[in-house]
Amino acid sequence: MAPPVLLVIAHGSRDPRHAATVHALTGRVRAQRPGLRVETAFLEFNAPSVPRVLERLAAEGAAEVVALPLLLTRAFHAKTDIPSVLREARARLPRLHIRQADVLGPSPLLNATLGRRLREAGVRPGDIPRTGLVLASAGSSDPEAIAVIAEIARELRHTGWCAVRPAFASASLPRTEDAVRTLRAEGVERVAVAPYVIAPGRLPDRIAAGAKAAGADVLADVLGPAPELARLLLDRYDEARVPVGASLSA
């Protein structure tokens, strides 16, 4: 029997870089697991939509789908939007078994991706003890999501950075520029900004603008199609398709 189809559900954006990055990431997932069918759908702005992809899969005879939110925290889209879309699809497509996988974060693989992007931006191991890090996320009005970002910042503080501060591009405070200035005021010698976002778009651009306005020394790239992130998608897929207490070989 063929394994369940992996359906990666991204938010979507009017910025063409967003969809291009999502497709590059799903391409890397396919490369890491040949033979697994990987489809991409979007909640807004981009095609194909989630309902259209599920309808096509059902028409082609697919039996099972693991729907994976391309989201870093459990906020509105993970708790409300995606479950609603999937409930409607289950009602219309009763022969297609649809499971929703967990969101991506938090995960050591996301932290490893952040480290990759910071190294690519020029941060060397010897720089870390004298560098303050701003962990800049998109932001959310969901307290659970904000708490997760704060906890990740606390964990990163124990990896050698002299200080770590969370920041948000929307909905929550502080903004990236304010976090950078706070670190400067505390006497931090160097400041690096690491966007905790997957793909380019309006909010990542806001993070970058804030970092530059406040004079950050280093601005890392978005997480993008990193191999660690592709591996994390496969981990979440495997967790969703295997019943609790079972093993992949069972």
Side-chain angles (χ1 to χ4, degrees):
M1 182 180 294
V5 177
L6 170 56
L7 174 60
V8 178
I9 301 177
H11 182 271
S13 171
R14 293 185 178 90
D15 189 322
R17 298 173 298 167
H18 176 91
T21 300
V22 172
H23 288 303
L25 176 59
T26 54
R28 189 176 284 274
V29 172
R30 292 186 190 96
Q32 287 194 11
R33 189 168 296 181
L36 174 63
R37 182 170 181 179
V38 182
E39 298 283 345
T40 307
F42 299 89
L43 287 174
E44 298 181 276
F45 304 119
N46 302 103
S49 67
V50 178
R52 298 293 83 77
V53 174
L54 291 171
E55 289 165 4
R56 174 166 54 81
L57 290 172
E60 293 173 358
E64 187 173 2
V65 173
V66 171
L68 173 59
L70 195 63
L71 301 169
L72 298 176
T73 59
R74 282 182 47 78
F76 181 79
H77 294 303
K79 294 178 178 179
T80 303
D81 279 357
I82 292 176
S84 176
V85 170
L86 297 182
R87 276 196 303 271
E88 293 173 2
R90 291 185 187 103
R92 289 183 292 103
L93 307 167
R95 294 186 179 181
L96 183 62
H97 182 60
I98 305 169
R99 302 188 191 191
Q100 181 176 337
D102 201 359
V103 297
L104 300 176
S107 168
L109 288 169
L110 286 172
N111 295 354
T113 306
L114 284 170
R116 171 188 289 273
R117 296 305 183 217
L118 285 161
R119 290 191 300 273
E120 291 170 350
V123 176
R124 299 166 297 179
D127 296 330
I128 292 176
R130 59 189 182 92
T131 301
L133 179 65
V134 175
L135 180 70
S137 78
S140 173
S141 58
D142 188 301
E144 179 184 350
I146 297 304
V148 167
I149 300 301
E151 179 59 28
I152 294 169
R154 284 191 290 270
E155 291 177 0
L156 289 171
R157 174 66 181 85
H158 297 298
T159 63
W161 302 94
C162 70
V164 181
R165 297 285 184 274
F168 307 94
S170 68
S172 306
L173 296 174
R175 296 288 183 257
T176 302
E177 53 269 37
D178 296 327
V180 172
R181 289 171 181 142
T182 296
L183 289 171
R184 294 284 194 215
E186 293 172 355
V188 173
E189 182 179 346
R190 284 168 51 84
V191 177
V193 174
Y196 192 67
V197 291
I198 292 173
R202 178 175 57 88
L203 295 180
D205 283 351
R206 188 178 295 174
I207 291 170
K212 292 173 183 176
D217 300 284
V218 175
L219 172 62
D221 201 355
V222 298
L223 301 176
E228 297 89 351
L229 188 54
R231 179 182 160 196
L232 178 56
L233 266 64
L234 289 169
D235 285 351
R236 293 291 185 256
Y237 166 82
D238 290 335
E239 292 163 3
R241 74 185 183 97
V242 178
V244 174
S247 66
L248 287 175
S249 59

